[in-house]
Amino acid sequence: MRRFVTTAMTIALVGGAALAAPAVAADNESPGLPGSAGVVDPGDLLELTPEAPLPVLEEELEPTASETLTTARRVLAGNARPSDPSATLVLRDLWMQKAQLRGAERRQADALLARPTDGITDPQGFGYSVAEAPPVCNTRLCIHYVATGTDAPPSPDWPAQNLAVMDSVWTTIVDGMGYRAPVRDGSRGGSPQFDVYLKDLGGSLYGFCAGERRAKKRTASGYCVLDNDFATSQFPNNTPADNLAVTAGHEFFHAVQYAYDYAEDPWMMESTATWMEERIATHVNDNRQYLPVSQIYAPQVPLDAFSRTNGFQYGNWVFWEYLTSRYGNGLVLKAWKQAGTLRRDGDKYSLTALQKVLRKKGGFHKNYARFTAGNLTPAVNFPEGAEYPGPKVRGAKVLSKRKRTKRFGTRINHLASASYVFGPHARLSGKKWNLALQVRGPAKRTSPAAVVVVHLLNGKKQVKMVRLNRAGDGHKKVSFDSRRVGAVSVTLVNGSTRYRCNRDTVLACGGKSLDDRARFSVKARVTRG
């Protein structure tokens, strides 16, 4: 399900100056990173980015069926709390748990999961209040709506426009990209076509999909609901047509995911659905509203975090964007096949599916480490990154003949990172000046990494992985000639994918990481010769 990112959340995550360039300078003598938005004095930067406490990961136990029912009622009534999950996922959870409910609670769950056309007497008031108009259909889709009342479309041709958009989305995702079509629902909704309902969702929800009938393994049929008009008074970002396009792509892809594994890790479900928006409507760029909660600007938050308050799972569509810009759009399809549950699928969870797909492409950990280091220069890391603001770093320092050393230390949670920048003083001129880096991290079995990037004044980059020994320690020496080098960045990466799975959390495999709060440090020293 797609949701607004609020201004308050953005400020809380990245701070008032968090989109400043990750550059270093001293007395205007050393330029910033190539492609950055400007120059920041490292002293100022350190004051703006104090060592913040690590985020508290949401590892709460899975709610009971009764608790899920209460949450679903609240969300669909338009009274969602900031801590509530999206409508798509709370309905998925309710659908998976409803067998545990009895009596009135079971009837309430059935009513919430019912299609709008089945819900005229729905106590939540979610069903259509008048009889459905004749649906607009083609051979694979039907658009359902009512002609009068608050749920009615804004014009007589709007249902047909929805059909055309949904059909184009189907053509792109299923016919063009090779994904499975949504699981057939028999004749539910009045016909065997996939059903989409138009409903006034009140401005807080763009749309959602709901599972309905289990098929083989963990696959299921379902239906989708889209807002009936995307009125600008409720959805001020973008035009109604643009909001329809990105929402159709996002929600239809959830229905496609149900043809692989409806119980997959929630971060993968939402991040790939948000990534799909870019394939469907790249001109809209609506998914950029989630950039502040991506690992570009919140690198301290684990990649697999699913937040019911901050939406990191939406922002991390950028990780898939990074991978597919290098290996092609088909990589996401391969990941879903590895995550799928049918006979020829891999039946893996999100991260093990990715590890399988990336095995012959340098491996997951190397790709993840290079992704985190590249996030300092979005223009290089992403196809449209030149339009992204420059991110901040954890710390920075200009080194000179007088001040030759600087050490930074931090703790990093799993699948997260911290970056530091060192700049050469103008007087460090000549080939004799180098920067010796000493990295200390946790044991190598926990998959630590360190990536050094030399940002040259000609705009090029030299990317170097630090070889870490079994104890997690390593060294690297690079040029620090101020005539050639603008800055040297060091990204410390906790690449751990070790979990105790099935612990009813919202992380990958429902598990708890074995390697959070790992200690890292980097010491930089200017040397000659």
Side-chain angles (χ1 to χ4, degrees), residues 453-509:
V453 181
V454 181
H455 302 266
L456 301 176
L457 295 179
N458 61 9
K460 296 182 179 180
K461 297 195 304 177
Q462 297 174 350
V463 181
K464 305 173 185 291
M465 299 287 294
V466 179
R467 186 183 297 275
L468 302 180
N469 61 22
R470 296 176 71 177
D473 302 335
H475 304 266
K476 182 67 66 176
K477 182 182 287 188
V478 296
S479 173
F480 212 47
D481 177 2
S482 64
R483 298 178 307 176
R484 298 179 59 249
V485 177
V488 174
S489 63
V490 181
T491 299
L492 306 175
V493 185
N494 182 341
S496 174
T497 54
R498 304 195 312 158
Y499 299 86
R500 290 189 181 93
C501 289
N502 303 314
R503 301 288 173 165
D504 295 328
T505 75
V506 293
L507 300 176
C509 75

Side-chain angles (χ1 to χ4, degrees), residues 48-187:
L48 291 171
T49 54
E51 191 67 31
L54 289 177
V56 176
L57 302 182
E58 297 178 41
E59 295 182 347
E60 68 272 7
L61 293 176
E62 180 181 350
T64 66
S66 294
E67 290 170 338
T68 299
L69 173 62
T70 299
T71 302
R73 293 181 63 184
R74 188 167 58 235
V75 170
L76 290 190
N79 299 319
R81 297 173 182 172
S83 60
D84 286 337
S86 69
T88 294
L89 290 179
V90 74
L91 288 176
R92 181 196 69 163
D93 294 345
L94 179 63
W95 174 65
M96 292 171 62
Q97 293 178 297
K98 73 172 185 176
Q100 303 171 25
L101 299 172
R102 297 291 184 271
E105 286 191 328
R106 177 60 183 265
R107 290 191 293 274
Q108 291 171 6
D110 287 336
L112 288 175
L113 292 166
R115 301 173 181 226
T117 47
D118 298 333
I120 294 177
T121 59
D122 182 358
Q124 293 295 116
F126 188 75
Y128 287 150
S129 59
V130 298
E132 178 189 7
V136 178
C137 304
N138 61 17
T139 58
R140 55 193 186 186
L141 289 157
C142 275
I143 304 296
H144 300 263
Y145 67 101
V146 295
T148 60
T150 58
D151 295 322
S155 65
D157 61 347
W158 185 250
Q161 185 173 344
N162 275 256
L163 179 64
V165 170
M166 288 296 300
D167 192 68
S168 176
V169 168
W170 183 307
T171 297
T172 297
I173 295 177
V174 178
D175 302 335
M177 300 178 73
Y179 288 89
R180 294 170 190 158
V183 176
R184 286 185 168 272
D185 65 359
S187 59

